[in-house]
Amino acid sequence: MAVNPDPKPGRWLLPLVVLGMMLFTFVFVSRLPGSEPVATTQPPSSSETTEPNGGTTPDTTTGTTVEADPALAAYRDSLAPLATQMGELQTEMATVNEGWDADPKELTAAETQSRLTALRDQAVALAASVGELTPPVGLETQHAAVADAANRASAEATNALRGFTSSPGPDDRRAAAAAFDDAASDFLAAVEAI
């Protein structure tokens, strides 16, 4: 009978099992969501980078200051009040049409015509203001979308007034009001995309 040189052959089994459990736990935990390493920020430096973000803002990943393109910032500053005005015109169109269609009517015919006339004039002026803007290089396509939406809104405001004053029923006015709402929404979305 041969003599066993290691009288306890299973004594290495438990350390191997423990080591395997530790390795499995490490791999499992490192793959959990949110366990990615956290990036550290660098201290602020004197260098600046340029991004089209409309203003000077700190870059939180590097600690540097990001300087905006002045032409883009000026263009956005010109569009901002026009977007605000378009939102107001969109609300006014809905208010006037709902007031005229209400039963009993909340607006007189003279009030409705006066407000639709003012709305049409403001929409025409807004479209003209958009046409006078010169977009920065590279934003010509986006500007064309803004101008197209402004021109459609202007045309539909005119159609809504014409539908109120010249059409025998409410269908033309209502269709123009709905088309104006679509054009105004397109305008706001196009401005937001810039």
Side-chain angles (χ1 to χ4, degrees):
M1 177 169 195
V3 178
N4 187 353
D6 187 356
K8 299 180 183 178
R11 67 179 165 190
W12 293 106
L13 186 59
L14 181 61
L16 289 175
V17 169
V18 171
L19 181 63
M21 290 173 51
M22 290 171 50
L23 181 61
F24 174 77
T25 303
F26 173 77
V27 170
F28 178 77
V29 169
S30 66
R31 293 182 186 241
L32 287 175
S35 62
E36 294 83 14
V38 178
T40 58
T41 59
Q42 299 175 357
S45 66
S46 60
S47 65
E48 294 182 347
T49 58
T50 302
E51 288 185 6
N53 65 351
T56 301
T57 57
D59 185 344
T60 56
T61 58
T62 63
T64 59
T65 301
V66 178
E67 191 67 38
D69 177 18
L72 178 60
Y75 179 67
R76 285 181 175 167
D77 289 344
S78 299
L79 283 178
L82 297 176
T84 301
Q85 183 182 4
M86 183 62 84
E88 292 169 354
L89 293 177
Q90 188 177 27
T91 302
E92 175 70 358
M93 179 67 83
T95 302
V96 169
N97 280 283
E98 289 168 7
W100 178 250
D101 288 337
D103 187 21
K105 295 195 179 301
E106 298 172 359
L107 297 173
T108 65
E111 290 172 328
T112 302
Q113 183 172 348
S114 173
R115 288 174 73 170
L116 286 176
T117 301
L119 193 152
R120 186 242 1 237
D121 294 345
Q122 292 174 31
V124 168
L126 189 148
S129 296
V130 171
E132 293 171 359
L133 294 177
T134 302
V137 175
L139 288 181
E140 294 84 1
T141 302
Q142 292 88 338
H143 178 74
V146 171
D148 176 63
N151 289 330
R152 284 189 291 124
S154 172
E156 295 305 337
T158 302
N159 291 338
L161 177 61
R162 186 179 301 121
F164 179 75
T165 59
S166 303
S167 296
D171 294 338
D172 291 343
R173 173 183 49 83
R174 289 176 180 164
F180 178 88
D181 186 63
D182 291 342
S185 296
D186 291 347
F187 179 88
L188 296 173
V191 169
E192 183 67 27
I194 295 176

